[in-house]
Amino acid sequence: MENEELANRLKQCRTERGLTQNEVAIFCDITEKAYQNYERNRREPKLSILVRIADFYGVSLDYLVGRTDQKC
């Protein structure tokens, strides 16, 4: 799996908002371990989960995966 940009942006969005991994996981209805794996680039989220994460952070999917530097 080679999506280091997704992992970096997930962590960046979370830390900018002062959130814990568990808080994001609860909103997205996933386990904290699953979210940790996304931030560590060990696993990639399903599209439906990625959409929930993007909605939670108020950013576009393209931003999360590194296709653009514009958040919205």
Side-chain angles (χ1 to χ4, degrees):
M1 172 176 33
E2 286 295 322
N3 200 343
E4 187 81 18
E5 191 64 36
L6 173 60
N8 290 337
R9 295 225 169 147
L10 288 174
K11 186 172 184 176
Q12 176 188 1
C13 286
R14 181 179 59 78
T15 57
E16 283 176 356
R17 288 158 179 78
L19 300 168
T20 66
Q21 291 174 331
N22 191 51
E23 289 171 322
V24 179
I26 288 169
F27 175 84
C28 296
D29 197 28
I30 57 176
T31 65
E32 183 177 6
K33 185 70 172 171
Y35 188 81
Q36 289 170 347
N37 284 331
Y38 304 151
E39 279 196 9
R40 293 178 181 152
N41 199 29
R42 292 185 180 151
R43 297 198 56 168
E44 288 185 1
K46 291 181 182 180
L47 179 59
S48 61
I49 294 170
L50 194 57
V51 168
R52 279 187 249 162
I53 293 170
D55 287 346
F56 181 71
Y57 289 137
V59 299
S60 69
L61 291 174
D62 283 344
Y63 174 77
L64 282 183
V65 298
R67 293 182 56 180
T68 183
D69 289 332
Q70 294 182 347
K71 290 186 177 184
C72 293

